[in-house]
Amino acid sequence: VMQGKESVALDIGTDDGKRILRELVGRCDVVLQAFRAGAAERAGFDADTLRALNPDLVYVNASGYGTDGPFGDRPAYAPSIGAATGLALTDVPDAASATGSMREIKSAATRLFAAAAVPSLQADGIAALGVASTLLLGLVARARRRPLGPLTVTMLGTAANALADQVVDYAGRPAAPLVDPGGHGFCALYRMYQAAEGWVFLAAPADREWAPLVAALGAETELAGERFATPRARRENDGALAEALGKIFAIRPAAEWEGLLTKADVGCVQVTEAPPETRMQTVPELVDEYTATATSPVFDEHLRVAPPVRFSRSRTQAKGGCLCGEHTDAVLRELGYGDKEIADLRERKVIG
């Protein structure tokens, strides 16, 4: 959370804390506030107040449910937003109807929680992308001399945007695909299969991919019969097709299937049963391509994800994290505060 940041800790409920905040705002490009509706106004750091101090300021509200409305004062956390928007139900749609017994309800609740807390795709990460995009939008508009008013991005809105294919409806809209109860995939030709060693993911849903798949599986398959001869037949016999493919993939290790089918230009990869972050920090080839060395006061020297984009006219950085308030003294000195003033502020708990 603190990677690449400098941290100043202030008690903004005090007059001195408010004064320091106003001095910082005078030197800022962007202010991002993530309090609930009305909190910024009550504390005196709302958009109107701060932009009166710095007219060029880009001001972004990033709350859970918005800056007003009936839910504006609600707290928001990733699992609650995942539940409120349907992120969790997207991964385990059958859980909604698993209410026949208390055992089913408990099992469904556990699966829903797990689905809403996938490290690589959950409401916090989606919201962060929305916030970053909003910040950049404000900066670009200012650079083009078309400044915008206060901007608002919400966790609820960013999650709804990620689920646009489910929340937008129109006449004749085809049904969205649903993952099977086991969480393996959408259909027989787009799902995971257990191999002799490990798992593979087969991605060959297009009609034109059927013949290369059958040819690549060769003598080990009986897929060439009438049951699966046409796209319609394959859809109507999807369960039987998944069963047949499951028996085939169980014959060889996942790594062999990946090599065999990839050579035939059929989408198939060995499933990595670990978070992508772990892979990127342990596989040498991925370490070289996707990570950078950083230093943290907690973790010392360590690998972190490197900037995914490099620009020709700006310097991208991949710094480590910091402690809360670690840079308070240094930043106050930049503002002109002396050591005695800083010591006094700390003794009175205005700074941390």
Side-chain angles (χ1 to χ4, degrees):
V1 173
M2 302 292 279
Q3 283 185 154
K5 297 181 180 179
E6 291 185 350
S7 175
V8 175
L10 298 174
D11 181 353
I12 55 176
T14 64
D15 291 338
D16 286 328
K18 286 184 173 67
R19 186 187 72 249
I20 295 171
L21 176 63
R22 289 194 292 269
E23 292 177 42
L24 287 170
V25 167
R27 299 177 173 221
C28 285
D29 292 298
V30 176
V31 164
L32 167 68
Q33 76 86 14
F35 290 88
R36 299 185 226 177
E41 288 77 8
R42 291 192 297 271
F45 55 84
D46 55 284
D48 290 343
T49 299
L50 298 190
R51 295 183 84 179
L53 302 172
N54 182 352
D56 293 329
L57 192 67
V58 174
Y59 190 96
V60 177
N61 299 292
S63 60
Y65 295 92
T67 56
D68 55 19
F71 291 170
D73 62 349
R74 287 193 176 191
Y77 299 90
S80 60
I81 294 292
T85 58
L87 279 172
L89 205 59
T90 299
D91 285 343
V92 286
D94 62 294
S97 57
T99 57
S101 66
M102 185 56 67
R103 176 175 290 184
E104 279 190 359
I105 293 171
K106 288 181 177 180
S107 175
T110 300
R111 294 172 64 214
L112 282 167
F113 176 80
V118 176
S120 303
L121 180 63
Q122 39 82 21
D124 275 342
I126 293 172
L129 290 173
V131 168
S133 300
T134 306
L135 292 174
L136 290 172
L137 175 65
L139 290 170
V140 169
R142 189 183 70 171
R144 295 184 176 181
R145 298 181 180 178
R146 299 186 66 179
L148 304 172
L151 302 171
T152 297
V153 57
T154 67
M155 291 184 74
L156 193 72
T158 54
N161 185 66
L163 298 175
D165 66 314
Q166 298 185 40
V167 300
V168 176
D169 200 8
Y170 53 88
R173 181 189 186 279
L178 294 177
V179 68
D180 69 285
H184 298 98
F186 291 137
C187 65
L189 297 173
Y190 196 85
R191 59 163 285 173
M192 290 188 298
Y193 289 96
Q194 190 164 16
E197 294 178 15
W199 291 74
V200 294
F201 191 94
L202 174 68
D207 296 344
R208 58 181 170 75
E209 296 170 310
W210 175 250
L213 172 63
V214 173
L217 295 175
E220 295 177 84
T221 179
E222 298 178 2
L223 300 177
E226 289 296 320
R227 272 197 310 175
F228 312 126
T230 66
R232 180 175 179 177
R234 291 193 287 275
R235 288 193 297 271
E236 292 176 348
N237 296 286
D238 188 75
L241 179 56
E243 184 178 353
L245 287 169
K247 292 177 180 178
I248 296 167
F249 282 117
I251 296 172
R252 299 188 182 200
E256 287 189 24
W257 284 121
E258 178 178 335
L260 177 68
L261 294 182
T262 300
K263 187 176 180 180
D265 203 28
V266 174
C268 179
V269 294
Q270 182 177 358
V271 175
T272 298
E273 298 180 59
E277 297 85 354
T278 300
R279 293 278 295 171
M280 286 193 289
Q281 295 180 63
T282 55
V283 178
E285 295 83 1
L286 299 179
V287 168
D288 292 341
E289 180 71 20
Y290 296 110
T291 69
T293 301
T295 303
S296 160
V298 178
F299 305 111
D300 298 321
E301 187 173 280
H302 65 285
L303 291 176
R304 60 156 290 181
V305 177
V309 178
R310 295 174 179 84
F311 298 94
S312 60
R313 290 184 293 167
S314 61
R315 185 165 57 96
T316 55
Q317 302 179 62
K319 296 181 178 180
C322 66
L323 301 176
C324 180
E326 181 178 339
H327 304 94
T328 300
D329 291 11
V331 172
L332 288 184
R333 290 191 183 98
E334 291 178 14
L335 295 175
Y337 287 80
D339 290 343
K340 289 184 178 181
E341 291 176 284
I342 293 173
D344 175 64
L345 290 167
R346 179 161 285 108
E347 184 177 352
R348 292 190 288 116
K349 301 188 184 305
V350 175
I351 61 174

